[in-house]
Structure formats: structure tokens, C-alpha cells
């Protein structure tokens, strides 16, 4: 199995662009698993690691996935060969039966595609769950509003998640609040927010 993975990676890593995509995607998956494990066991309690894990990693993962076919198409254009010729050249036949390696290649691509969809789905769901937590609101987004966070923790509202009152019902309100949050993160990062 490991040898099949290596052969597949060598086959799709046709140039620097493809190799960069493979390295980026693989590094993100390994880092995501490590960060998620560390957060699950309470080794990391910083909300900013959640931002990295659930926002930055999926974006980098998708960029890595996009770089692989870009590298392949650039390689195809440089060589002037057909896709069939390049597949024959990059992926060696494992068995003597004609067409067997193509079936194996398609199966490998389907398995990796399913794995990618699962990884992105888990990361997206975890991101939404994390961004809806009061801990995220109080420690990541609203560090500029520390007095409000301290007051919230000691108030009767502490039993009610922030999103119950500050986001609203439905997908439209969720999208509006997240877009507004991006604007607020930008202003906070550049220290351009109003202070009382």
C-alpha cells in the first residue's frame, strides 16, 4: 500500500508546481492531525491555533490540491505529448494485463478524492463548531473587548453561547456575521478599531 502511494505521488509530481502541491497538501494533513490531536487532549488551549487549524489549513490544503493538476497541465504543454502517452510514461504497469494499471490509477484517484472530501468536510464542520463557541468569541475575536469577555463569564449570560444572540437564525445571518467577523479581524490586526 505504501509503495502504491509513493508511486502515485511520484507520478503526479511531474515538476516543481506539482511537487509543491503534493508537499503542501501532505504537510497540511499531517499538521491538521497533530493540531487536532493536541487540542483534543488539551495540550493547546489557544484560540489562535483553532484559527490556523480550521481556517488556514483548509485553504492551504485546497491550494495544494489545485497546484497538482496545474503542474500536470504545464508538464503536458511543455512535452507536447498526449495525456495517454504521459500516463504511460509516469505510471508504470504493475501487471501484464493490458489496462490493469489504468484501473489501479483510477481507483487510487477515487480513494484520494474521497479522503480529500472527508478531510475538508471534517475541517469545515470543526471550523463552524469552533467559531460558534463562546471561547472563540471571547479569546480570539474579541480580545480587543476583554472587559466584555470578563463580564460575560461572570454574568447569567455565561450559560448562553454568544451566537444565540449575536448571529441570528438561518444561513444568511451566519454568512453576514462571518463576513463581518473577517472585517473585524482585519481591523483588529491592523489596530484600526475604535476604542471607548
Amino acid at each position: 500500500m505504501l509503495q502504491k502511494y509513493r508511486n502515485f505521488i511520484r507520478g503526479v509530481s511531474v515538476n516543481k508546481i506539482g511537487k509543491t502541491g503534493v508537499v503542501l497538501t501532505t504537510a497540511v494533513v499531517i499538521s491538521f492531525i497533530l493540531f487536532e490531536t493536541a487540542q483534543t487532549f488539551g495540550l493547546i488551549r489557544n484560540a489562535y491555533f483553532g484559527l490556523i487549524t480550521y481556517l488556514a489549513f483548509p485553504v492551504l490544503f485546497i491550494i495544494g490540491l489545485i497546484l497538482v493538476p496545474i503542474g500536470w497541465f504545464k508538464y503536458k504543454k511543455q512535452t507536447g505529448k498526449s495525456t495517454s502517452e504521459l500516463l504511460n510514461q509516469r505510471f508504470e504497469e504493475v501487471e501484464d494485463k493490458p489496462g490493469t494499471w489504468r484501473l489501479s490509477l483510477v481507483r487510487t484517484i477515487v480513494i484520494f478524492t474521497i479522503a480529500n472530501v472527508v478531510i475538508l468536510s471534517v475541517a469545515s464542520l470543526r471550523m463552524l463548531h469552533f467559531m460558534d463557541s463562546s471561547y472563540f468569541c471571547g479569546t480570539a475575536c474579541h480580545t480587543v473587548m476583554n472587559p466584555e469577555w470578563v463580564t460575560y463569564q461572570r454574568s447569567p449570560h455565561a450559560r448562553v453561547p454568544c451566537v444565540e444572540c449575536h448571529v441570528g437564525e438561518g444561513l444568511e445571518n451566519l454568512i453576514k456575521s462571518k463576513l463581518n467577523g473577517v472585517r473585524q479581524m482585519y481591523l483588529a490586526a491592523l489596530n484600526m478599531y475604535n476604542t471607548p
Side-chain angles (χ1 to χ4, degrees):
M1 179 66 180
L2 189 59
Q3 189 60 39
K4 270 188 176 183
Y5 174 74
R6 285 185 187 148
N7 290 341
F8 178 76
I9 295 303
R10 263 189 237 117
V12 297
S13 304
V14 293
N15 53 24
K16 288 181 183 178
I17 297 171
K19 287 177 185 171
T20 301
V22 168
V23 168
L24 184 61
T25 304
T26 305
V28 165
V29 168
I30 292 168
S31 299
F32 178 79
I33 291 169
L34 290 174
F35 274 47
E36 189 65 19
T37 303
Q39 287 178 339
T40 301
F41 289 112
L43 300 173
I44 297 175
R45 294 287 305 153
N46 188 324
Y48 290 102
F49 279 100
L51 286 173
I52 292 168
T53 305
Y54 305 129
L55 291 176
F57 282 172
V59 170
L60 292 173
F61 184 79
I62 291 169
I63 290 170
L65 290 177
I66 291 170
L67 287 176
V68 173
I70 288 173
W72 183 264
F73 288 119
K74 187 173 181 181
Y75 179 68
K76 182 181 171 186
K77 193 174 181 178
Q78 287 173 339
T79 60
K81 295 182 179 180
S82 70
T83 302
S84 183
E85 290 173 317
L86 291 175
L87 286 173
N88 287 330
Q89 178 186 335
R90 295 299 297 180
F91 297 96
E92 58 192 46
E93 292 189 37
V94 184
E95 297 179 28
D96 293 337
K97 296 177 188 173
T100 306
W101 68 270
R102 285 183 192 254
L103 181 62
S104 177
L105 177 63
V106 168
R107 199 173 332 155
T108 304
I109 290 171
V110 167
I111 289 169
F112 277 122
T113 301
I114 291 169
N116 292 338
V117 168
V118 168
I119 289 167
L120 286 172
S121 298
V122 168
S124 298
L125 289 173
R126 293 285 293 162
M127 175 191 67
L128 285 173
H129 178 69
F130 174 70
M131 291 175 70
D132 283 349
S133 70
S134 297
Y135 177 74
F136 170 79
C137 294
T139 59
C141 281
H142 299 297
T143 52
V144 296
M145 296 169 55
N146 191 48
E148 288 84 352
W149 172 239
V150 171
T151 303
Y152 166 81
Q153 289 177 301
R154 295 186 179 136
S155 76
H157 292 114
R159 291 184 296 276
V160 180
C162 299
V163 295
E164 289 283 324
C165 301
H166 292 277
V167 172
E169 293 287 325
L171 183 62
E172 184 180 341
N173 285 326
L174 177 69
I175 292 170
K176 280 182 186 176
S177 72
K178 297 310 174 194
L179 290 175
N180 187 36
V182 170
R183 181 186 65 80
Q184 291 173 351
M185 279 176 36
Y186 170 77
L187 294 173
L190 296 177
N191 203 17
M192 294 171 49
Y193 56 89
N194 294 329
T195 56

